[in-house]
Amino acid sequence: MNLQLFLSDRCNMACDYCFLRLNEGPATILSEAAALGAVRGHLARHPGGGAQITLLGGEPTLHFPLMTAVARAARGAKVSAATNGTLLCPEKAAELSALGVELAVSVDGAAEGHDRHRRLLKGGSSHEEILKATEGLGRSKLRANMVVGPDTAGALLRNLEAMRGAGWRRLSFHLDVRARWDEGALRALSVSLAGVERYLGSVNRKGDVLELTNLESSAEIHSGGAHGYDDVVLGADGKYYPCASFLSKRYGDLGEWVLGDAEKGLDTEKRERIHGKTEREIHAALKGGRHGICPRETYFLDVLAGRDPAPAVRAFHRADILLGEAFLRIAAHAREAVRG
């Protein structure tokens, strides 16, 4: 299990595919006591090691002392932080690296598509700000989180080339969980992925190795439908929730969904009841098809909006499988190239 710690509901950006409720009313900021309590509880659930912790926001680097406090308390766990990258600097990056924190920067490829979705509150190009902030950090060592939506699916190869040209070598792809993946978008994604496979074959022959991942899809395919990993979500109010999708609502409006808090601990029985019902309904919507963790986010977003989640779950699942199967083929080709 991966513990997701949402440090606050503040961000210096307003990305249109972010489903979190941010920058509204008084700030909600996770207390250090709650954060460290959740970390201790998570480590206790993994006495043999292997614990994973992800620091999220809003924008987590707005709360840098809290980030470093969590990293120190989580020694021995795999700790990562998802950041928009605009507020990074060599000093902060070096301190986090020394504490064992892996930085994952949200950047989608070429400036045009990136800036269309990822907007700075102050205005201007967030793509330009990210490149400026990461210029001296060694982009080849950072991980880039690329969100792929229906309108950018056809530009996947172009965006991959842009990332490679800017020095990024470790790329994670994530499908937009809020999007409506219609037939046109699925066709564009399929064609684009075929181009990516051919392109990577050429790149590999040149010895320019790119590390590409899509954990959700690959995990579900390898496991035949069982989850490859799962998330425990702690909101900035210090309370546990079944899924990050619930943070699309205001803190304080989710009483029936709270799964305990950092002080008293995680209510695992309630969590299992909610997730058990969710899994059954997703399974029914997919008519027994394989599925992983991502349809759960899509499912909950529609449930919270009062919509029937089945159509969105089915459409997202088709896109997720396309991406996952392409990545497995890419991995197989890479292994053959190494053996050759």
Side-chain angles (χ1 to χ4, degrees):
M1 282 190 176
N2 173 47
L3 173 63
Q4 294 187 341
L5 292 179
F6 286 82
L7 304 191
S8 81
D9 59 359
R10 303 290 100 170
C11 189
N12 63 327
M13 291 181 64
C15 302
D16 61 14
Y17 39 50
C18 176
F19 54 74
L20 304 176
R21 185 177 288 272
L22 302 174
N23 300 327
E24 295 183 7
T28 302
I29 301 172
L30 185 64
S31 71
E32 183 173 322
L36 299 188
V39 168
R40 286 193 295 269
H42 191 63
L43 295 177
R45 288 191 291 271
H46 296 78
Q52 298 185 48
I53 297 170
T54 303
L55 307 179
L56 300 141
E59 172 49 42
T61 57
L62 289 170
H63 313 284
F64 191 73
L66 181 56
M67 292 181 73
T68 56
V70 169
R72 290 189 184 94
R75 289 285 194 177
K78 179 181 178 182
V79 182
S80 61
T83 171
N84 61 40
T86 61
L87 303 177
L88 286 176
C89 65
E91 293 76 19
K92 288 182 179 178
E95 185 171 352
L96 290 171
S97 178
L99 291 170
V101 179
E102 179 187 57
L103 289 174
V105 181
S106 298
V107 55
D108 294 337
E112 179 187 2
H114 174 99
D115 285 337
R116 187 188 314 143
H117 296 285
R118 297 189 184 274
R119 304 183 184 96
L120 287 166
L121 292 180
K122 67 179 184 180
S125 169
S126 66
H127 190 271
E128 184 178 326
E129 292 279 322
I130 292 167
L131 292 186
K132 187 185 303 181
T134 59
E135 187 172 3
L137 304 186
R139 293 189 194 117
S140 63
K141 299 177 183 178
L142 301 173
R143 181 172 298 284
N145 282 339
M146 300 176 65
V147 172
V148 180
D151 70 319
T152 58
L156 188 55
L157 178 54
R158 180 189 171 204
N159 286 327
L160 178 58
E161 288 181 305
M163 295 295 285
R164 178 173 171 243
W168 303 92
R169 291 296 181 272
R170 306 178 66 214
L171 310 176
S172 295
F173 291 82
H174 304 276
L175 296 172
D176 184 354
V177 299
R178 295 181 61 182
R180 292 305 181 247
W181 289 90
D182 59 21
E183 292 297 331
L186 291 169
R187 284 194 299 272
L189 180 61
S190 181
V191 171
S192 195
L193 285 169
V196 168
E197 289 185 55
R198 291 191 296 271
Y199 173 75
L200 288 175
S202 172
V203 169
N204 286 338
R205 284 193 294 274
K206 296 176 182 178
D208 186 7
V209 177
L210 300 180
E211 177 191 320
L212 277 66
T213 58
N214 176 249
L215 297 179
E216 298 91 348
S217 304
S218 299
E220 69 172 277
I221 292 171
H222 274 307
S223 60
H227 290 305
Y229 70 99
D230 206 348
D231 292 317
V232 175
V233 174
L234 187 80
D237 60 348
K239 296 177 181 178
Y240 291 106
Y241 296 97
C243 176
S245 299
F246 286 87
L247 306 188
S248 62
K249 298 294 185 182
R250 291 186 181 89
Y251 290 118
D253 292 345
L254 293 166
E256 65 178 305
W257 297 105
V258 172
L259 304 179
D261 57 41
E263 180 182 358
K264 298 178 181 177
L266 175 68
D267 187 339
T268 56
E269 291 184 4
K270 184 176 180 180
R271 183 177 186 273
E272 289 305 313
R273 287 197 302 272
I274 292 172
H275 281 191
K277 179 177 182 292
T278 301
E279 294 303 311
R280 289 191 295 272
E281 294 191 5
I282 291 176
H283 195 71
L286 299 179
K287 297 179 172 42
R290 299 166 302 182
H291 62 279
I293 195 170
C294 267
R296 190 185 294 167
E297 290 186 339
T298 301
Y299 168 91
F300 278 126
L301 285 170
D302 271 24
V303 167
L304 290 167
R307 296 188 294 262
D308 175 10
V313 164
R314 285 193 290 266
F316 182 89
H317 174 256
R318 290 178 65 189
D320 199 35
I321 289 294
L322 281 175
L323 189 61
E325 289 181 339
F327 272 60
L328 290 177
R329 288 193 298 272
I330 289 167
H333 294 326
R335 286 193 295 270
E336 290 175 6
V338 170
R339 286 197 294 267

